[in-house]
Amino acid sequence: PQTAKDILRQKMVEERNVHGFTFIKQGEDGEEGNFYFISSGSCKVTVDDVIVRTLKDGQYFGELSILESTARTATVMSQSVVITYSVDAATFRQTILPFMHDRHRKFFSVFCTVPLLNGSSVYDRSLMMYDMREKQYSTDDIIINQDDKYDNESCFYIVLKGRTKALKQIPSSSHTVDLLTHEEFDYFGELSLMNEVSRSATVAALENTSVACWNVPQFKQLFSCVLPKLIEDQARYQHVIDPSIEEQRL
C-alpha cells in the first residue's frame, strides 16, 4: 500500500510565482482549497487589509480553512518570487491532517476557553496555537526568577493545567510576599515583555503544571490583538510594580 509520503510525492504541485501573487483571499471558500508549503521566498498575511504576519522558507499556510471547514480567514500574497509546494484539500486530509489533528484538537479547544483571548479571531488563536511551545514543570519548580533580565528569549505564559504562584522578595527587607495564584487558563510574564524590564517576581509551580509559552518576538506579533486587555489587567499587579505597597502591609 502507498504511504503518506508516496501520495504526497505524486500529488504535490510545485509552483513559482512572482511578487504580488495572491494565493488565497480572505472570505473565499477554503474548505476545498489548497494547502501550501513555502520552499523559498516570503509572503505577507493580511486580515482586513492589515499585515499580521510574514511567512518565509519552511513555513506553511492554508490549513485552517480545511481543518475548520470555514472560509479563508486571511489573504496571503507573495512579497518576492516564491516557490511553493501545494496539495488539494482531499490529499491534505489523507496525508497531513492525521499528523496535525492531534495538536489541533488538543489545543484549539483550550484556546477558545482562555478568558484573555475572548474577542480574538479564529485566525489569531490558530497562530498562537501553532507557534506555542508547551513546557512541563513539577511541584516547586521555578518557571520565572525575580530579576531575570529581559531579552528576546523571555517568555509569556498561559497555564494549561495545574497551578502556579507568584512571589516577591521585597528589596528593602528579608520578607518574601506571596502575590497571587495562577489557575488554569490564567497568564503571567507579560509585564516584563510589555515594559522591556527585568522580571519583577518569581513564579513557581504549586503542583505538576503544564504551560504554553511564547518568546518576545512571538508575543509582540501574536498578542497585539489583546494588548488593550493586557494593559487593563496590569492593575491587578500594582503591588508587583510598586513594592512599597507590600512594604506597607508588612
Side-chain angles (χ1 to χ4, degrees), residues 37-241:
F37 175 84
I38 300 174
S39 176
S40 66
S42 67
C43 296
K44 65 178 179 181
V45 182
T46 60
V47 176
D48 297 331
D49 298 322
V50 176
I51 298 176
V52 296
R53 198 179 196 203
T54 298
L55 300 173
K56 297 182 179 180
D57 304 8
Q59 294 183 291
Y60 57 83
F61 59 93
E63 79 288 352
L64 182 59
S65 293
I66 304 174
L67 285 167
E68 295 297 316
S69 299
T70 61
R72 297 295 194 184
T73 57
T75 295
V76 180
M77 179 182 293
S78 60
Q79 290 185 305
S80 64
V81 173
V82 175
I83 296 175
T84 58
Y85 291 90
S86 64
V87 294
D88 59 37
T91 303
F92 173 85
R93 293 189 184 98
Q94 183 181 5
T95 59
I96 301 173
L97 179 59
F99 299 99
M100 298 181 70
H101 195 259
D102 285 346
R103 181 178 177 88
H104 185 271
R105 181 174 53 196
K106 180 179 179 181
F107 292 115
F108 193 78
S109 60
V110 170
F111 277 44
C112 288
T113 60
V114 174
L116 173 65
L117 305 182
N118 288 344
S120 60
S121 69
V122 171
Y123 182 75
D124 288 333
R125 295 185 195 204
S126 295
L127 292 183
M128 295 171 191
M129 179 185 67
Y130 290 127
D131 281 357
M132 63 161 274
R133 287 179 292 161
E134 184 182 11
K135 291 187 176 182
Q136 309 287 339
Y137 295 92
S138 299
T139 303
D140 295 330
D141 281 353
I142 300 298
I143 303 171
I144 289 175
N145 271 305
Q146 183 174 335
D147 298 326
D148 278 353
K149 299 297 184 183
Y150 165 89
D151 61 33
N152 273 348
E153 293 309 309
S154 300
C155 286
F156 169 69
Y157 301 85
I158 292 177
V159 180
L160 299 176
K161 183 179 181 181
R163 294 183 305 141
T164 69
K165 69 175 179 179
L167 53 152
K168 186 175 183 68
Q169 176 73 45
I170 304 302
S172 59
S173 73
S174 59
H175 293 283
T176 298
V177 180
D178 288 349
L179 299 176
L180 72 165
T181 299
H182 306 108
E183 307 287 347
E184 288 185 4
F185 308 146
D186 284 342
Y187 62 89
F188 59 91
E190 79 284 359
L191 288 179
S192 173
L193 277 60
M194 291 170 65
N195 299 308
E196 300 186 359
V197 296
S198 298
R199 298 295 192 180
S200 55
T202 293
V203 178
L206 286 172
E207 56 192 62
N208 291 340
T209 297
S210 171
V211 298
C213 62
W214 299 262
N215 63 22
V216 169
Q218 292 168 334
F219 173 77
K220 290 186 174 180
Q221 182 177 49
L222 299 175
F223 288 86
S224 59
C225 59
V226 294
L227 185 58
K229 173 67 172 172
L230 290 171
I231 293 172
E232 179 184 331
D233 282 358
Q234 280 196 17
R236 69 177 179 151
Y237 289 121
Q238 190 57 47
H239 50 308
V240 177
I241 299 170

